[in-house]
Amino acid sequence: MIIAALLLLAATADDPSIDCDNQRYQVEMNYCAGKDYEVADVALNAQWKLTVATMRERDKTIDRSYDTQPTHYDALLAAQRAWLTYRDQHCLNEGFAARGGSMAPMLHSGCMARLTKARTAELQALVEEY
Amino acid sequence: MMFALLLALAAQPEAASVDADCGGNTLQMVQCANRSFDRADRELKLVWDEIAKALSDQDRRFDDHREPRLEIARTAHEAWLAFRDAQCAVEADSEARGGTMYPLIYIGCRTEMTRARVQQLRPTLGN
């Protein structure tokens, strides 16, 4: 059902008649939540590249004559993969709260956007704090 | 009620730090930090058990042949646990790779993330 709803959402993509500053109907809310997630995903990917670049710089300082731990980059990649699994599973769960109702796409996209934004901040913090 | 619960599930952890309540030498600090983590972990298990029970009850009421909520939520929770540990490895690595502080930061990060998740989950109980 969620997949069907997302297909429906995709069919309305880039519809200029929808004003996300003035959402009235569920179908508009679903569309705008999807747009919000798309924007968040682009920002996450941009921050990911920055954080990866920093981790690769840190990896250059690793002395392999005694340090056999995974590289900074490998640890980051493992965490990011774990996070992706968590986000997707968690948002599947959150969308499922509507049990196939018309709100399901909005709940799912809203969840994806919220967690993605939070992760972007975490990735930024990883390279700014130290 | 479930909506609020799920919103709460999504909130994110804070940055890592060493447990301020723990003093002494490094070994004593690590032992103390481990005890703090164990307390937080026990609390999380209690909260999760309550949620699992609520979802199980809900699954019984909705006899709609969908995948049980409980199973989806359990998968998500287990994914969160794996994420917590992987994220804390990155944070400890960034702050103290190869240093004596590494275990303290790693354990402290896991404790903080666990406490934050308990805080997110707890208000949803009993609704």
Side-chain angles (χ1 to χ4, degrees), chain B residues 57-91:
Chain B
D57 290 346
Q58 191 194 42
D59 282 333
R60 270 196 298 277
R61 287 200 305 277
F62 285 88
D63 186 18
D64 57 5
H65 306 290
R66 290 180 186 279
E67 188 178 352
R69 272 301 292 292
L70 176 58
E71 291 315 307
I72 296 174
R74 191 192 304 282
T75 305
H77 186 59
E78 285 168 0
W80 180 84
L81 292 170
F83 163 62
R84 175 196 64 189
D85 293 349
Q87 175 67 12
C88 288
V90 174
E91 293 192 16

Side-chain angles (χ1 to χ4, degrees), chain A residues 29-46:
Chain A
M29 294 176 201
N30 293 347
Y31 169 84
C32 295
K35 277 293 179 196
D36 194 26
Y37 166 59
E38 282 177 30
V39 171
D41 191 48
V42 168
L44 175 68
N45 284 316

Side-chain angles (χ1 to χ4, degrees), chain A residues 7-128:
Chain A
L7 287 174
L8 186 68
L9 189 75
T12 60
D14 297 310
D15 185 340
S17 69
I18 294 179
D19 175 10
C20 287
D21 292 329
N22 184 24
Q23 303 170 33
R24 292 160 299 171
Y25 306 111
Q26 188 61 55
V27 66
E28 292 178 332
M29 294 176 201
N30 293 347
Y31 169 84
C32 295
K35 277 293 179 196
D36 194 26
Y37 166 59
E38 282 177 30
V39 171
D41 191 48
V42 168
L44 175 68
N45 284 316
Q47 183 59 51
W48 170 252
K49 287 190 180 115
L50 294 174
T51 301
V52 163
T54 301
M55 293 298 175
R56 287 202 186 281
E57 281 301 309
R58 287 178 188 167
D59 283 341
K60 289 178 184 168
T61 67
I62 294 175
D63 183 349
R64 281 301 188 199
S65 66
Y66 68 90
D67 187 341
T68 57
Q69 297 298 307
T71 63
H72 291 282
Y73 170 72
D74 286 344
L76 179 71
L77 186 61
Q80 192 64 5
R81 285 178 174 155
W83 174 78
L84 274 170
T85 303
Y86 158 63
R87 181 197 65 180
D88 291 350
Q89 287 298 323
H90 176 85
C91 291
L92 184 66
N93 185 35
E94 204 163 297
F96 207 79
R99 290 225 169 224
S102 63
M103 275 175 70
M106 181 185 73
L107 293 182
H108 183 261
S109 299
C111 176
M112 295 285 280
R114 197 171 62 252
L115 266 63
T116 299
K117 286 173 192 170
R119 184 62 183 159
T120 301
E122 281 178 356
L123 289 178
Q124 193 172 11
L126 278 175
V127 294
E128 284 187 345

